[in-house]
Amino acid sequence: MSSFADSLFGVIENRISPVAARLSSQRHVVAIKDGFIASMPFLIVGSFMLLFSHPPFSADSQWAFAQWWLGIVKAHNETLMMPYNMTMGIMSVFITGAIAYNLAQSYKLNGLMAALLAVMSFLLVAAPQQGGTLSAASLGGEGIFTAILISLYATEVMHLLHKYHIGFRLPEQVPPKIRQSFDLLIPIMVMFLTLFPLSLWMQSQFGLLIPQAIMALFAPVISAADSLPAVLLAVLLCHLLWFAGIHGAAIVGGILQAFWLSNLGLNQAALNNGETVTKIFIEPFWQFFITVGGSGATLGLVLLYLRSRSAHLRAIGRLGLVPGMFNINEPVIFGSPVVMNPLLFIPFITTPLINAVIAWTATRTGLINHVISLAPWTTPGPIGAAWSTGWDLRAVVLVLFLIGLSALIYYPFFKMYERQLLQQEVDMAAENVAEQEA
């Protein structure tokens, strides 16, 4: 192994891995990640209904089925969009409660009380009542960053007051549920006294709600995060962590979720308004194009393993094929192993980077549709790609091409690793024969 490779692996193992390990276990990062995960079922169902409300047919299609579907959507659009509006349309509400709940649990506090406090605080600044109604404009993708900040702030206030025993002291005879409800009185007052004046000031001075102001501040970051260099940086960091044995997708994905959902919300809003959809870097783009088959885009490698002359690699190929079809590749990463394996380091890093460049270019140039829907990450790559792009069959062709390309990239490194394992198997067989003769 070259001195450069030794130095690189040393940096990954001694510098990057410890920082990533600490970050992955930090309570606020974990709470945000788990909060997004808890919200996913609502978002997936809402995204599916959005697709149903926007058929993949032109208005002048002569196909009877297309005309039937378009007619239903035209006649019942508001009804069909209700599931979307009550899920994706207010996703920041779910995210707020879920993050606060998980953070409170890590502090051994009442998770339900923290979630209720956070949701109330978020609605206070994101949907103030006007004309007897609550506006939902900032409850979707526009409110995600506010949801994160408010949920963390509300829970930390609750934790601080609990830590210093600031609250109403009720007799022990009072039922526990009543004591818990009274414990929330002071945190509620703190949230009103701090957030409500700030919200009123923002509205009077700038004519903006707090979520709108925060989105304006984050707009350059969101725009930069949708660029190809940002995509490549995220892919590189994720796979360097994986190579060191750390779940890079969990760490990088947890950090990127807010940007992914913001971009998804912007795309869906543009679709609903008949505007041009522009955002590219969204979770399905990562799952079904960049890392099809799992981190490292290893489905092509699994197909090579199935025809390997090495008994070990054939076994890993058979074990990893079905999970790989559903984007689960831990059997391959740890069974090959890929982790800290210098022979597989280059293709494991470069394959998803090449996939990212190709898929990003294809999306930007209109060769495939932009992502407008969430599909479960375990959906097989071609199906998930079509689902998330509004049933664009060109996305299926691209995914199949990327799987074949990944096999070509992995092939020379796979052959080197195969020769190494075959020699080891021959040596082991010779040692067994020698032991039996002795």
Side-chain angles (χ1 to χ4, degrees), residues 7 106-107 151 240 294 311 351 389 399:
S7 301
S106 73
Y107 282 128
S151 59
L240 287 175
T351 301
T389 56
V399 170

Side-chain angles (χ1 to χ4, degrees), residues 83-399:
Y84 167 81
N85 292 330
M86 293 297 102
T87 51
M88 284 295 302
I90 58 171
M91 62 177 166
S92 292
V93 177
F94 302 119
I95 292 169
T96 301
I99 293 175
Y101 178 90
N102 283 285
L103 182 57
Q105 291 286 88
S106 73
Y107 282 128
K108 309 300 182 185
L109 299 175
N110 188 303
L112 176 60
M113 294 292 106
L116 293 175
L117 175 66
V119 169
M120 181 278 297
S121 304
F122 175 73
L123 293 175
L124 179 68
V125 302
Q129 186 176 8
Q130 295 178 348
T133 62
L134 300 180
S135 172
S138 297
L139 302 185
E142 186 177 85
I144 287 177
F145 292 101
T146 305
I148 295 172
L149 296 174
I150 292 293
S151 59
L152 298 181
Y153 173 55
T155 310
E156 287 297 337
V157 166
M158 189 174 172
H159 171 243
L160 187 66
L161 294 173
H162 180 268
K163 179 179 179 181
Y164 291 101
H165 307 288
I166 300 174
F168 292 97
R169 297 176 181 269
L170 300 179
E172 290 297 325
Q173 293 80 6
V174 176
K177 293 298 181 182
I178 295 179
R179 286 208 307 272
Q180 289 175 4
S181 65
F182 271 79
D183 286 342
L184 212 57
L185 288 175
I186 292 182
I188 290 174
M189 289 189 289
V190 171
M191 301 309 289
F192 267 107
L193 291 174
T194 56
L195 292 178
F196 193 45
L198 176 62
S199 180
L200 293 176
W201 180 78
M202 290 292 299
Q203 292 177 62
S204 64
Q205 293 296 314
F206 304 101
L208 297 173
L209 296 176
I210 288 179
Q212 295 169 340
I214 290 176
M215 277 297 289
L217 290 175
F218 275 94
V221 180
I222 294 174
S223 179
D226 197 49
S227 65
L228 182 57
V231 174
L232 296 179
L233 179 61
V235 172
L236 178 62
L237 178 58
C238 170
H239 289 82
L240 287 175
L241 293 175
W242 259 123
F243 190 75
I246 297 174
H247 201 305
I251 296 173
V252 175
I255 296 171
L256 291 174
Q257 277 291 350
F259 297 97
W260 285 342
L261 288 177
S262 293
N263 285 341
L264 179 64
L266 292 171
N267 277 2
Q268 292 182 341
L271 181 66
N272 282 328
N273 296 330
E275 300 169 353
T276 302
V277 176
T278 59
K279 299 299 181 182
I280 296 176
F281 197 27
I282 304 173
E283 185 173 8
F285 180 82
W286 177 287
Q287 299 288 0
F288 304 125
F289 294 105
I290 297 177
T291 60
V292 58
S295 295
T298 54
L299 189 54
L301 181 62
V302 170
L303 297 177
L304 295 175
Y305 281 179
L306 291 174
R307 302 296 299 272
S308 175
R309 293 181 296 154
S310 166
H312 172 74
L313 295 183
R314 282 200 310 275
I316 296 300
R318 289 193 293 268
L319 182 65
L321 179 61
V322 174
M325 293 172 62
F326 296 90
N327 301 314
I328 300 169
N329 68 341
E330 278 80 358
V332 177
I333 287 181
F334 296 106
S336 297
V338 174
V339 172
M340 296 306 290
N341 185 338
L343 289 178
L344 295 178
F345 172 73
I346 293 177
F348 184 73
I349 298 294
T350 58
T351 301
L353 290 173
I354 293 172
N355 286 356
V357 172
I358 294 173
W360 192 91
T361 304
T363 306
R364 177 64 73 189
T365 57
L367 293 178
I368 63 171
N369 289 346
H370 288 69
V371 171
I372 55 172
S373 176
L374 278 180
W377 66 270
T378 51
T379 307
I383 299 174
W387 179 344
S388 60
T389 56
W391 307 113
D392 184 2
L393 296 181
R394 297 172 300 174
V396 176
V397 175
L398 178 59
V399 170

